[in-house]
Amino acid sequence: MHITRRHALAGLGLAPLCLATAQAQAAWPNRPVRFIVPFAAGGPVEVPARFIAESLGGRIGQPVLVETRPGAGGSLGVQAVVQANDPHTLLFTTSSVAIVPALMANPGYDPFRDLVPITMVSEAPMVILARPENPIRDLADLIARAKAAPGAITYGTSGVGSTTHLGGALLGVRAGIDLLHVPYRGAGQAVTALYAGDTDLLVTGTIEALTHLRDRRLKAIAVTSAERASSLPDVPAISEAVPGYAMTIWYAMFGPRNTPQDVVDRLVREVAPMARGNLLATRMEESGATLLLDGPARLAERLRVEVPQWREVVARAGIQAG
């Protein structure tokens, strides 16, 4: 009697499992999809998450719901996705996903083992700002002054372990200088401190920086992207004085570790057309960001480079998360 592969698997009790898995993959999505945003409601990452969720829902024939799960620097939301381990529950997060493992001994996830890259969503540089009367002329001058007086130049950020803090710490490590970090509770307080003269510099996102640069209340020393930003073409990139320096704030989508490749492909195919010709793309461009939605390769490379980079920077700068 001829025994087929299906009969052989059935004899081992594997056929139902294999068939069920294949059917589940083929049927995706067979119920509503969730985007878990691991930050408080109303934050900047929620804007593209809701726009993409609404557009994606119409393309895949199922509602896409946005759910905020704040806490522990974003790690609680990541844990929720990892524990669900279901391609109907996806992570919509920021570059913090690569930073938190350097700051916490046990963040509850391993970005390489537990997450499947789907696509970068967007990226934007940060900007180093100073008051107009600050004698620091440019980045070369900043580095020279910092080497002459280690720890004398202060920079404010939105908090210990924040993306802005790590941007300043990376500059210190790569340029071999000692800048004194002054953390605040949010970007608003950090800006106020700079205006008050409590700090010499501010590291902040482009969207916040443009507000103050357009009316010339502050001056830009440098941007953190590998190249000059299109929104600030006259401001040099840090890499022009510190070769190899590059850091942006990025948003991205991930699936849990068992997300099938055909689900990743479907998601990339559906979201790619949203990268241009809509209100979200226009608003991001106006705020100095770039909408990408270009698939998993760039995102996987970011993890490969940044996870070990932030472990090095955190260790060398002696950063301890509060």
Side-chain angles (χ1 to χ4, degrees):
M1 181 175 67
H2 178 66
I3 299 176
T4 65
R5 175 176 172 80
R6 179 174 177 180
H7 289 145
L9 289 173
L12 295 173
L14 299 178
L17 176 60
C18 295
L19 291 174
T21 302
Q23 290 169 356
Q25 292 182 16
W28 189 95
N30 54 29
R31 58 185 183 277
V33 174
R34 289 188 301 162
F35 282 172
I36 301 295
V37 175
F39 302 102
V45 70
E46 193 177 357
V47 174
R50 292 198 178 280
F51 178 92
I52 292 173
E54 182 177 352
S55 299
L56 180 61
R59 291 173 176 269
I60 63 176
Q62 288 283 355
V64 180
L65 312 174
V66 176
E67 180 179 332
T68 56
R69 292 278 192 95
S75 62
L76 292 186
V78 181
Q79 290 173 32
V81 174
V82 171
Q83 291 165 7
N85 200 21
D86 176 354
H88 292 82
T89 300
L90 306 175
L91 178 65
F92 201 108
T93 190
T94 71
S95 43
S96 65
V97 74
I99 294 172
V100 169
L103 297 170
M104 299 176 65
N106 182 20
Y109 69 93
D110 180 306
F112 298 109
R113 180 194 65 212
D114 296 325
L115 298 174
V116 173
I118 295 174
T119 186
M120 291 275 285
V121 173
S122 65
E123 67 175 343
M126 295 180 293
V127 188
I128 300 177
L129 299 175
R131 297 182 306 281
E133 65 272 19
N134 190 309
I136 296 174
R137 299 183 303 276
D138 51 30
L139 188 62
D141 187 32
L142 165 61
I143 292 172
R145 290 171 183 267
K147 287 184 174 180
I153 297 175
T154 59
Y155 73 99
T157 74
S158 54
V160 173
S162 64
T163 309
T164 50
H165 179 195
L166 271 292
L170 180 63
L171 174 60
V173 168
R174 295 288 184 260
I177 58 177
D178 180 12
L179 302 173
L180 180 60
H181 176 234
V182 184
Y184 293 91
R185 292 187 175 182
Q189 286 189 11
V191 170
T192 299
L194 181 67
Y195 277 119
D198 297 332
T199 54
D200 299 308
L201 304 170
L202 170 69
V203 182
T204 192
T206 312
I207 187 169
E208 294 92 354
L210 288 172
T211 302
H212 303 277
L213 291 172
R214 283 168 178 156
D215 57 13
R216 302 188 178 184
R217 290 185 293 161
L218 295 175
K219 66 180 180 181
I221 303 296
V223 295
T224 65
S225 47
E227 299 177 348
R228 296 193 180 200
S230 58
S231 56
L232 294 167
D234 297 328
V235 179
I238 291 177
S239 61
E240 294 175 32
V242 185
Y245 182 105
M247 182 181 182
T248 58
I249 298 174
W250 46 266
Y251 298 167
M253 289 173 59
F254 293 88
R257 60 180 174 272
N258 289 333
T259 303
Q261 184 62 46
D262 61 342
V263 173
V264 174
D265 295 341
R266 172 85 186 277
L267 283 163
V268 172
R269 189 166 62 249
E270 299 295 358
V271 302
M274 304 177 202
R276 53 194 174 277
N278 56 61
L279 184 59
L280 177 62
T282 300
R283 287 185 174 176
M284 282 199 162
E285 184 177 355
E286 290 172 351
S287 67
T290 302
L291 192 58
L292 298 169
L293 300 173
D294 53 358
R298 187 197 301 246
L299 179 52
E301 178 65 10
R302 283 300 178 90
L303 284 186
R304 187 192 69 79
V305 171
E306 293 193 12
V307 171
Q309 170 183 273
W310 297 129
R311 288 187 174 130
E312 176 202 358
V313 170
V314 166
R316 290 181 60 179
I319 298 171
Q320 295 183 344

